[in-house]
Structures are given as structure tokens and as C-alpha cells.
Amino acid sequence: MNRMKYGRGMGLIIAMLLLVQTAYFAPMAIAEAQATDTNETVYAFEAEAAVNLLSGKAEVKACEAAVGCSGNQLVGSLWGGSALQFNDVNVADAGVYTMTVHYISGDPRSFAVSVNGGAGDRYDPPKTADWNTRGAYELQLELKQGANTIAFDDEGSYSPDIDQIELRWAGTGTDPNEPPAGSGQVYEAEAAVNTLTGNAAVRSCKAETECSGGKKIGDIWGGSTLLFNEVTVPSAGIYTLKLSYISGDPRPIAISVNGSEKETYSPPQTASWDTVGTFSLEVQLQEGSNTILFDDNGGWSPDIDSIEIIASDSPGEEPGDIDGITQIGAEVDSGKFGSIQVEEHETGVTLSNGIYKVTYNTESGLSAYDWNGKTIAKGLYSSILLDKQLDSKSYAEHRFAMNKIEKIKDGHGKGIRVTIENRQTGLPTMTQIYQIYERLPYFLVSQQVKGEQELSTNEMSPVVLNAAGGIDIGSYSDNRVLVVPFDNDAWSRYQSRTVNTSLNTNNYISSELTAIYDNTSRSGLVIGSVTHDQWKTGVYWSGSNDRVNKLKVYGGFTSTASTHDTLPHGQITGETLTSPQILVGYYTDYRDGLESFGQANAAVAPPLAFKHGVPKGVPVGWNSWGAYESHLSYDKVVAVSDFFKKNLQKSSFANKGNVYINMDSYWDNLSEQQLKQAVKVINDNGQKAGIYYGPFVYWGDNMEQPVEGTNGKYKYGDIILRDASGNPLPKVDGAYAVDPTHPGSKQRIEYYFKRFLDYGFEYIKIDFLSHGSFEGKHYDPKAQTGIQAYNQGMAHINKVLDGKMFISASIAPLFPSQYAHARRISCDIDGTLGRTEYQLNNLTYGWWQNGTIYPYTDPDYMTLAKGGSYAASQTRVNSAVISGTVYLNSDDVNDPAAQELMKKLLTNKQVNEVALNGKAFRAVEGNTGTAAADTFVMKDGKDYYLAVFNFTNEAVTKTVDFARAGIPSSSNAKVTDLWTNESSEAVGSLKVDLLGAQSKLYKITVK
């Protein structure tokens, strides 16, 4: 049976452990005998020398002659708190030396090396062939003239046997204040003036890594930072910051200059953990001394060698002119289509439905958008990238014809389709298409490009702007642009970024949609794609002075950080090329606009329907991953089912009697008979069984392995996704991408999914779906893009399951959305307070998916035992309750402490009823950057529900303004704490006292 290696969390954890413990510090083994210069001095020191100091279990042992130890002895038994210290390590000169460690290690083992009593640096030499073979491992260290000590410590674990060390002169090191010729000022990460927090520490680099100075800052993870102090420049301005870093897998880093808002960057992974890479970005520095902070944002970040500050000649904004767009001469014709008015003028046309007006100037080829008599956007056009970029505004002619207007009726409603043909001799015709609807606050815009011969492109932009102040929402208190991640992998976060961003703007391309809004007034413009059949859509932008100066909404977006693609977007080919269709709408509350955007997408591709008796309500139950990870067993599944029957499902933790007991990855630890029997036990206990699969990933490396369900016709080397040269795409999350269009991958899906149905499973979590959207050379030539392939693969899954299972998409793109009943709103949540805050960031800006494009939004399971405190565990429940929701626990029922938490926190009927409502709360504030809001509200009939969170471990007091929260503020309100059932009266506002990590959930009834 194929091993589904691993659930989402385990895949990254194991991948990270492997990288950290083997590749992270691992220098290459070198040959035992090496030629040296005749003038080179080599200092050799035996581990077993009497002058050395051994502690703990360490002891001198005989070495077999065949091993070839120098002196026929070594120091072994370095484990469980043992150490070997080389004393009297005498060298002639102070400086940096290359130390070669001769060792024996039949399995991978590490040691920590410290010099002259300093802090220890951990190293992970490669395992040797066996316990009778020597290896050699090089690293660099700095020694003083004369006698030194070098200590090897097992750090409480197991270390290799040590035979000998050799030292060779390497040099005097690097002056951190001496910039390379022709470049900027270099600042070393390990400089004493800098500040480290959390796990961050100075680490030694291997010789071949070639870190400047031989050291770096590593272990920037789990809430750690590196602060460069005293970064000095002669004058204020824009500078290029060139970061030298090591990152064997993709890791982001958040950077803040002089205490400003942190900005997250995603440098490309380096070739290995032994290779330094560089990544450049622009920073605004003040004259004199500056600070530059590198923060892991609670995740994992690269190791940092140094930064280089280089004077930059930034061109700044170069917007075009947009004067006179609305000056289109006298009216020459008009038409009425329901409530929609079309007026043709001498040099243009206007389209209005009474809420907005689109003006198109047929002289300039530019357009303007008004809402309620106020111009919000002006200077817009379309473009396409062929052998060169073609802009609609640059065509010789822009033709409109009243008799070409078409009446339409679709999921959005009744309206018209209006076309503008851009023509020029020798160029393909570019048609801009506007769809105007009655009584809707938005319209749709797209483009088609038609040539006399076949065309090919991987970038079409229906909406482009290059104009100073081109988007001006008319409100300037706290202007923001929403940056949306492509999927929910790698703990991606939404960001509400200041609109005044003109540097490093390629780092802030939003996927599929954006909102440009003032958080204070909440008015804003919502723009995004409503078609997801062939394009990944990006929204590029740049702004200043509280306005947007540049905008490009385009099909063809790929990014290693966002879409995880290593290849450019696939080319679409044909005589007629069609762009994504873009919604443009202005709203007095941008939150209403985002919900409207979700509804518009659902009008095009309705969410997956419930069929064949699949319960329509919120799924309630249990998932195995947080409790057991790879240690799932039949006995544990039975124990969970029995515990839920006895303690929870009759105490309100159920939905109309429905409870799911779901086996995540490693369900194949159970035999076929055990799986069938487990389903029977679950059903006998009045529950439904769930299962897990990753349809678009391969966790192995054996390309000759037969693909299950293909009767030996296909091997995994046949079905993995490759580039145009036939090379496999790099692994992402530790797995190869599988081509969704390949018949072998489809047969594999049929093999497993039909088994699941036959065994009686009624719920399936499908994971790592983003792999199915990667750009590559697909088996089906009609699948020219990753999204086309993804649609094909997901449609096949739906066909095979035939509506007989609840489908929960785990790690998955936001769009297309029509293939699952629920989608995880975020990446994995382990139950800790920090991860709960992260999940609520995704709810803060992604709540609108609930009930629009997906019936339910999944906050991931609740592992209460990992909360760290009772308050944090309760907060985890509250975060799940308000997320609209898939309401699953994931605790070990054999743990008494977990049992107690489950009984206390999963059986509050009032709280559970809010969860079963299935409605996502929406955040009160939308100016939190990459953090979560702390206050959320949901209206249900005449009642309101309010959730308030404290993401710190210190007690705080918060005041909720009812008017700001959308709760009537002029009348008395009854406020009931749903956890304690205590009630109070409030008018206008509510004071909330919270202990560290605590949250509260209220029902508010306005009298």
C-alpha cells in the first residue's frame, strides 16, 4: 500500500527536521588523504591524548585496525550529557583556522563545538558508511595565539566517536566594516552591536559556505529576531539592501526599518544549506544611524550572513497623464436597457445603471469609473503581452457601436454587454468588454484579442492604470490595500498594507482580488477575478499620497512565494485569446464589497451542492492528525469513537446527531480489514467515518514505483509533473507534484476513492491540492496552464465521488472554489495561542468566503491539550466557533488532561449552537497589517454575537464601541457571556476584561 506520507503538518515538520538536522549545517565529507602545500602547517591533535578532558560517559576506546584511526584509539560513548575537551591546542598565530574533524558515525549524529569556553555551535556531520569507517568534516573557527581549548559536547543526545582534529591556517577573517570594492557598506549579522532575541544565535559557517567572517545568525524561528543596529548612511533616501542569507528551503522573513511596519519578503531558497544567496530590496533610510529588524513572524526564517547597504537611484513613480477623459463632446445617440442608460457622444460613450457610470473616451482609449457622482478611478485601459506589450490606449482606433450592444441574463442578473474594438493595421484586434447589470454596485470587464494567425500569451491585463492619483476613493484617514495569498500553504497571511507603498511593490501582488479602502470610513473599491478556468490572476499596485498610481489586474500571475511556481505561467494559444473577467465595484463598506465579490463568484461557479444524503450542516467531530500524527492505529480510532459516544455527542457536540470520526494521513497504518472494521465501529456508535488523501502529490522518490490502480501500466515517474525539458518540478512541502491530467493519476484517484466509498467513508479531507495547480508540461495538451489542469483534476474527483461524501479541501488555492463543501481558511493550527492568532488573521480578511464560494470555512481542528493554558484552549474553541466552520476536535482521548478539556470546552450548548449556525464572524477593524483583528461580530436575526480576543499572555482591558461594531448603540442591550451565562446591561459600548490568552464570546440582544 502506498504510504500517504504525511499530513500537512507532518510533511513540513519532518522536512524541516531533515533540513535542520542533516543539511542545515552539513559540510561535505572530504577525502582522508589530501595534498597540501609544502609551506602549509598542519596541527594535529589526538582525541585520546592524556591532556584532554573527558566528562560524563565519554571514554577512550580501542579502534579496529581496519578503521585506520591515528594512534589506533578514539574517544567514544559521547551521549547523554558527555563531552570531550581538547586542551593545549597551540597555534602560532591568532586567526581563522579550518578544523578537520576525523570521526566515526554509523548513523546521523551531531555535536556542539565551542572554543575557549565560548558558546557552542551545533554541527551535523554526514553519517559514515558504517561504524568501521572514518569520515572527515570541515568547519572554521577562530583561535587565539598560543594555547586554546576546543570542546565537543553531545548536547544531551548522541554524538559521533572522535579520532582526531587537524587545524590549518585560513586567514585573519573579514573586516565587517570594509565594503567590497565598488559596492556598499557591509554589516555582519553576528556583529556584537546587533541585538538577538528568542532562539536566534551566532552560528559558525562551514568553510565552503564562505560566509563573510565565517559566522552567521541562525535559528531564527518561533518568535526570534535579529536587529541590525547602527546602520549608518550619509543622507536620507532610498537605498538597496542586499541580503546575504542561507535557506535550503523557502522561508519568509519580515523586515522593519527604524521601527516601521514590518514587511514580509520571501527570498528564493538557496541551492542547499551550505550555499549563500543574495536578495535585494529597497529601503527608506534616515540620515545617520538606522535600525533594521529581521523577524520570523513566529515561523521559520533564513540564516543571515550579512547585509550590504548600497546607494540607490530609484526612479520613483512615473505615471502617465489622464486629463480630459470625461471630455467626450456632445451626445449623439442614447439607448435605454431596463435601468441601464447608454449614451454615445462625439468622442466617447457612457454606461450607467444609476449607481455607477463608466466613461470611455474613444480618442484617448482611456476610461473613468464614477459611483454616485464621484470619480473613483480614471485613466484605465487594457494590455496584452505578445512578442511585445500592446496597450489598448495606444491603438489608432477605439470603436464603439450602439447596434452591437447585447442584452444578457446570467447568474449576476439582467444587463448588457458592451464592446469597444481597438484596431490598428498590422496588430490583432483587442476588444474590451463591459458587462453592466441592473441595480448592482459592480460591473465586469474583460478583453479578447483576435488575430489573423494563431496567437500565444501568458499575460492579459483587462484593467491597467498608470496615472498619478488614478484611484482616489475620496477618503484619506487610514487607506489600505488588501494583499491576498494564492492559497493557504506555508502559513501564508493576508495583509492590509498602507496604500502609500511605492517600493518593492512586486512583493505585494495580491492573488485574484484586492480591496482599496479607508479603514476609518470603510469606503472602498473591490477588484477581482470572477472566472478561474484558465488563469491565475494577480493584482499589482503602487501608491502614494493616499491614492493608487499604478494598477495592473492580469491573468498570468506566478510567484515562488505565493503560487509556489518555479515556472512562468503557461501560455494560452489560439486565434482568439480571452482574459479573466474582472469585477470592479465601489462600496460604502469594503466588507460588504468583499462579500459581494464572493457572491459574484458564486454566481459564475456555484459552490458544491450537497447530494445523496450528505448532511448539509456544519461538520462536527474529530480528526486524528493533531492527536496522533503518524502514530494512528485501529485501537486509537476505536477509543476515540467510544469516548465521543460516551462523553460528547449526546452533550451538544453533534449536529442533528451527526458526528464525524476522521482518519487523517497514516490511515494506512491500519490494515484493509481494520479499516473496514473501524468504519463499522464508528457507524455502530452512531457516527460517520472520514478519511484523507493527497490526490496531486507523490511523497516518494522511486520513479519506478508502480502507480496504484493502473495495473502496472504507469510508474510514478510517468505521472509526476515536469517542465518542458522533461525535468521533474522541484519538490514543494517535501512532495513531487502529480499531473492532474495524466490518466495514471486519474486512475490512482479512482482506485483510492472507490475503495473509500466501498468501505463506507462519508467524509474526505483532500490535501496539498495546490500542487495540482503548478505550471508545467501537462499530459493533456489542452491543459496549457496550471489552473486548467487543476480544474480537470478536481472535476475528476467530483465525478468519482459522485456527491456521496462531504469534501473538505485542506491546503488548496482560494480559487477555483466549486469542488469542495469546505476549504481550510488557513494553514495548520496546532492549538497554541500564536497559531490561533494566525488563523484569525485569515478570518479577518477572508471571512467573506463563508456562505458565498464555500458553504463552510474550515479553521482546522482544535487540539485543546496544546493550548498552553486553559484560557488559550478556550480561545482556540472560540476561534473555531466564529470561523463558519468545520468543528472538529483533535485530542488524544487516552490523555486524562485532554479528556478533561474536551468535556469542559466541547459541551457548552450555547457556544456550540453558535458554531452550528455555520456563519463566519467579520472583523470590526481591517487595519491590522499581517496580524489578526481582536474583535469580531456576527448578526443573526435580531441578535448580535461578539467575540473579543487577547493574543498576549498579559491581562488587558478592551472597550468595544457598539456603533463601530455595527451594533445599535442608542438602546439598552442585554449582554450574555455564553461561557458563563452571566448577563449584564450595556448602552453604546462594552468594557471587556481579559486575562492573558483569554477570549470572550457574547450574545447581545438589543431591547
Side-chain angles (χ1 to χ4, degrees):
M1 181 183 292
N2 181 42
R3 170 73 59 188
M4 262 56 62
K5 285 197 191 265
Y6 312 104
R8 165 64 220 169
M10 194 64 172
L12 279 183
I13 290 170
I14 289 181
M16 285 178 176
L17 287 175
L18 288 172
L19 286 166
V20 171
Q21 294 183 0
T22 62
Y24 190 79
F25 298 105
M28 293 175 59
I30 62 173
E32 277 297 294
Q34 295 188 18
T36 62
D37 291 335
T38 56
N39 294 328
E40 182 183 33
T41 301
V42 179
Y43 302 91
F45 301 90
E46 293 293 333
E48 67 272 15
V51 71
N52 295 342
L53 178 65
L54 279 62
S55 63
K57 302 176 179 64
E59 59 180 337
V60 176
K61 293 183 175 183
C63 184
E64 296 289 337
V67 178
C69 294
S70 58
N72 297 319
Q73 290 183 310
L74 52 75
V75 172
S77 299
L78 288 162
W79 65 277
S82 303
L84 160 64
Q85 179 172 298
F86 286 82
N87 293 319
D88 292 343
V89 179
N90 282 283
V91 294
D93 299 292
V96 177
Y97 286 77
T98 297
M99 180 172 75
T100 303
V101 183
H102 297 273
Y103 68 101
I104 301 97
S105 188
D107 55 78
R109 296 186 176 188
S110 63
F111 49 63
V113 178
S114 61
V115 177
N116 295 323
D121 290 327
R122 174 177 166 163
Y123 298 91
D124 293 84
K127 61 175 288 191
T128 52
D130 51 41
W131 283 100
N132 293 309
T133 304
R134 282 203 315 167
Y137 180 86
E138 282 191 354
L139 56 100
Q140 285 190 329
L141 40 76
E142 190 164 0
L143 300 177
K144 63 184 180 181
Q145 183 180 18
N148 297 263
T149 63
I150 301 175
F152 290 75
D153 193 294
D154 63 24
E155 294 187 307
S157 185
Y158 287 83
S159 289
D161 296 345
I162 308 295
D163 173 27
Q164 180 194 54
I165 61 172
E166 294 177 335
L167 296 169
R168 291 173 173 81
W169 171 254
T172 57
T174 301
D175 180 357
N177 294 314
E178 181 180 351
S183 58
Q185 181 73 40
V186 175
Y187 297 86
E188 293 293 335
E190 69 272 14
V193 71
N194 296 340
T195 305
L196 309 180
T197 67
N199 302 306
V202 177
R203 299 297 185 202
S204 294
C205 287
K206 295 185 317 179
E208 59 263 41
T209 305
E210 298 183 344
C211 294
S212 56
K215 293 184 182 294
K216 63 183 178 181
I217 299 300
D219 292 335
I220 306 176
W221 64 275
S224 304
T225 64
L226 160 63
L227 180 68
F228 284 84
N229 294 310
E230 299 180 13
V231 178
T232 304
V233 295
S235 58
I238 296 171
Y239 289 79
T240 296
L241 185 156
K242 184 178 179 181
L243 172 68
S244 294
Y245 68 100
I246 303 101
S247 189
D249 57 87
R251 296 184 175 187
I253 187 79
I255 300 175
S256 169
V257 177
N258 294 323
S260 63
E261 183 177 343
K262 289 182 290 186
E263 304 176 16
T264 300
Y265 299 88
S266 298
Q269 72 180 86
T270 52
S272 69
W273 282 102
D274 303 326
T275 307
V276 174
T278 60
F279 178 78
S280 296
L281 57 125
E282 293 175 309
V283 292
Q284 181 85 39
L285 299 179
Q286 62 191 17
E287 181 181 350
S289 183
N290 296 263
T291 62
I292 301 177
L293 178 73
F294 292 79
D295 191 315
D296 62 29
N297 261 348
W300 297 75
S301 287
D303 296 346
I304 296 177
D305 174 24
S306 64
I307 61 173
E308 183 177 0
I309 303 298
I310 305 168
S312 175
D313 296 322
S314 176
E317 296 292 329
E318 296 179 358
D321 295 326
I322 52 171
D323 293 335
I325 292 176
T326 58
Q327 297 173 14
I328 55 177
E331 180 182 327
V332 296
D333 196 3
S334 67
K336 186 81 170 176
F337 304 86
S339 62
I340 300 170
Q341 181 76 23
V342 179
E343 295 180 357
E344 184 177 5
H345 291 250
E346 292 173 326
T347 57
V349 61
T350 63
L351 318 170
S352 175
N353 71 348
I355 300 172
Y356 59 78
K357 180 174 70 174
V358 175
T359 300
Y360 192 102
N361 188 307
T362 53
E363 277 194 340
S364 67
L366 298 176
S367 59
Y369 309 152
D370 296 7
W371 274 266
N372 301 315
K374 181 173 64 176
T375 299
I376 302 298
K378 55 186 177 181
L380 298 118
Y381 57 96
S382 302
S383 71
I384 185 172
L385 184 63
L386 296 171
D387 55 340
K388 62 180 180 179
Q389 179 170 305
L390 300 179
D391 297 334
S392 62
K393 66 176 182 176
S394 299
Y395 273 68
E397 294 181 90
H398 315 285
R399 300 179 181 177
F400 164 77
M402 187 75 74
N403 60 6
K404 289 189 176 181
I405 294 176
E406 301 175 51
K407 293 183 179 180
I408 56 174
K409 182 179 181 181
D410 55 26
H412 302 281
K414 293 181 179 181
I416 59 172
R417 180 182 290 111
V418 179
T419 57
I420 307 290
E421 289 187 358
N422 300 278
R423 292 180 173 271
Q424 183 168 324
T425 302
L427 295 180
T429 299
M430 183 187 299
T431 302
Q432 295 168 278
I433 305 167
Y434 295 89
Q435 293 187 189
I436 312 295
Y437 294 93
E438 297 184 26
R439 295 180 294 278
L440 289 181
Y442 65 80
F443 59 88
L444 306 178
V445 60
S446 59
Q447 65 185 135
Q448 284 189 339
V449 178
K450 186 174 183 178
E452 295 180 357
Q453 299 176 347
E454 188 173 74
L455 303 172
S456 182
T457 185
N458 69 347
E459 183 179 303
M460 296 186 73
S461 309
V463 180
V464 184
L465 169 72
N466 184 25
I471 294 179
D472 181 351
I473 62 173
S475 183
Y476 316 107
S477 295
D478 186 7
N479 289 43
R480 300 272 167 170
V481 177
L482 180 62
V483 181
V484 178
F486 172 76
D487 66 5
N488 49 6
D489 199 5
W491 290 277
S492 57
R493 287 178 180 257
Y494 289 72
Q495 182 176 12
S496 60
R497 181 158 186 81
T498 173
V499 74
N500 300 318
T501 298
S502 58
L503 301 181
N504 307 302
T505 46
N506 281 325
N507 293 302
Y508 308 113
I509 298 175
S510 188
S511 180
E512 304 297 341
L513 73 144
T514 191
I516 303 164
Y517 62 97
D518 175 10
N519 184 66
T520 301
S521 69
R522 293 200 177 111
S523 60
L525 191 66
V526 174
I527 304 172
S529 177
V530 297
T531 54
H532 311 280
D533 48 358
Q534 63 181 356
W535 292 104
K536 294 171 184 166
T537 300
V539 183
Y540 169 88
W541 60 277
S542 175
S544 62
N545 195 30
D546 293 325
R547 295 159 178 85
V548 171
N549 303 323
K550 294 183 180 181
L551 180 75
K552 182 172 75 171
V553 187
Y554 66 104
F557 170 53
T558 58
S559 156
T560 55
S562 186
T563 68
H564 320 293
D565 282 300
T566 56
L567 299 175
H569 197 285
Q571 299 270 338
I572 65 166
T573 302
E575 291 185 4
T576 301
L577 306 178
T578 303
S579 76
Q581 193 173 51
I582 306 303
L583 173 149
V584 183
Y586 175 82
Y587 301 82
T588 56
D589 189 329
Y590 75 94
R591 300 175 302 170
D592 295 337
L594 288 171
E595 291 176 2
S596 176
F597 172 76
Q599 292 160 1
N601 271 274
V604 175
L608 186 62
F610 291 89
K611 299 178 181 178
H612 299 299
V614 174
K616 294 182 178 181
V618 167
V620 177
W622 180 87
N623 173 280
S624 66
W625 187 255
Y628 302 122
E629 296 186 353
S630 62
H631 303 293
L632 185 63
S633 69
Y634 172 79
D635 291 339
K636 290 173 180 175
V637 173
V638 171
V640 169
S641 178
D642 290 344
F643 180 85
F644 268 68
K645 179 182 180 181
K646 180 180 179 181
N647 298 283
L648 299 179
Q649 66 196 55
K650 292 184 179 179
S651 298
S652 80
F653 196 69
N655 193 345
K656 298 180 180 178
N658 294 311
V659 171
Y660 290 98
I661 304 297
N662 296 341
M663 288 174 262
D664 206 287
S665 186
Y666 289 95
W667 55 264
D668 55 346
N669 287 351
L670 283 66
S671 68
E672 184 172 358
Q673 184 56 41
Q674 286 177 325
L675 283 171
K676 293 178 180 178
Q677 185 61 29
V679 173
K680 184 178 185 304
V681 169
I682 290 168
N683 292 163
D684 288 347
N685 280 337
Q687 303 151 353
K688 298 178 182 294
I691 197 68
Y692 169 98
Y693 196 69
F696 306 138
V697 288
Y698 173 49
W699 296 104
D701 292 296
N702 181 8
M703 295 301 150
E704 296 300 311
Q705 179 181 335
V707 176
E708 300 85 348
T710 67
N711 294 319
K713 183 177 181 180
Y714 297 111
K715 299 174 182 178
Y716 272 94
D718 298 322
I719 72 170
I720 64 166
L721 189 59
R722 299 173 182 268
D723 62 22
S725 299
N727 301 306
L729 297 188
K731 289 183 177 181
V732 174
D733 297 334
Y736 287 107
V738 167
D739 181 355
T741 75
H742 196 285
S745 65
K746 293 180 179 180
Q747 289 169 29
R748 186 178 73 148
I749 287 170
E750 293 164 11
Y751 170 77
Y752 280 109
F753 286 26
K754 288 179 180 178
R755 283 179 63 201
F756 298 155
L757 290 170
D758 289 344
Y759 292 174
F761 288 101
E762 301 178 66
Y763 181 113
I764 187 166
K765 172 184 172 182
I766 47 178
D767 205 356
F768 296 99
L769 299 179
S770 297
H771 284 67
S773 71
F774 292 171
E775 304 301 324
K777 180 70 173 179
H778 294 93
Y779 178 88
D780 183 354
K782 294 179 182 178
Q784 299 173 314
T785 71
I787 287 297
Q788 287 175 326
Y790 182 79
N791 274 286
Q792 188 177 137
M794 293 299 294
H796 185 68
I797 288 173
N798 281 180
K799 180 180 178 181
V800 174
L801 292 178
D802 191 29
K804 296 175 182 176
M805 297 178 79
F806 185 99
I807 301 176
S808 178
S810 187
I811 298 303
L814 176 58
F815 291 106
S817 56
Q818 65 266 34
Y819 301 110
H821 299 108
R823 173 185 174 269
R824 281 259 294 276
I825 201 167
S826 67
C827 195
D828 295 14
I829 308 301
D830 61 8
T832 61
L833 182 64
R835 284 285 185 252
T836 296
E837 183 276 333
Y838 155 73
Q839 184 253 303
L840 289 175
N841 161 267
N842 284 261
L843 181 69
T844 299
Y845 300 105
W847 88 96
W848 53 267
Q849 303 162 45
N850 172 257
T852 57
I853 58 176
Y854 296 99
Y856 302 110
T857 35
D858 179 2
D860 205 9
Y861 48 70
M862 301 173 283
T863 306
L864 306 179
K866 295 181 182 178
S869 67
Y870 182 85
S873 298
Q874 186 180 60
T875 288
R876 177 64 190 127
V877 175
N878 280 340
S879 71
V881 165
I882 71 170
S883 292
T885 189
V886 175
Y887 201 40
L888 303 179
N889 173 259
S890 190
D891 277 289
D892 178 1
V893 300
N894 296 311
D895 176 2
Q899 287 187 9
E900 189 67 19
L901 287 170
M902 293 167 77
K903 291 175 184 177
K904 287 183 177 180
L905 295 175
L906 301 180
T907 58
N908 183 308
K909 185 177 181 180
Q910 292 185 115
V911 171
N912 290 344
E913 285 177 348
V914 179
L916 297 185
N917 201 325
K919 293 183 178 180
F921 288 40
R922 67 181 187 179
V924 173
E925 301 299 342
N927 61 347
T928 59
T930 56
D934 61 7
T935 307
F936 299 82
V937 68
M938 185 264 289
K939 186 177 187 296
D940 185 40
K942 295 182 179 180
D943 295 321
Y944 296 83
Y945 291 88
L946 178 72
V948 186
F949 292 84
N950 177 13
F951 300 122
T952 75
N953 287 307
E954 305 296 327
V956 296
T957 297
K958 299 176 183 285
T959 300
V960 179
D961 183 301
F962 281 1
R964 182 66 176 167
I967 301 170
S969 58
S970 59
S971 303
N972 284 344
K974 178 182 178 182
V975 180
T976 303
D977 185 323
L978 295 184
W979 283 101
T980 65
N981 206 34
E982 295 176 353
S983 295
S984 61
E985 299 286 327
V987 179
S989 65
L990 179 67
K991 180 181 177 183
V992 183
D993 295 316
L994 297 170
L995 301 174
Q998 189 181 25
S999 60
K1000 292 191 177 181
L1001 183 63
Y1002 298 103
K1003 179 179 180 180
I1004 299 177
T1005 303
V1006 179
K1007 298 180 179 179

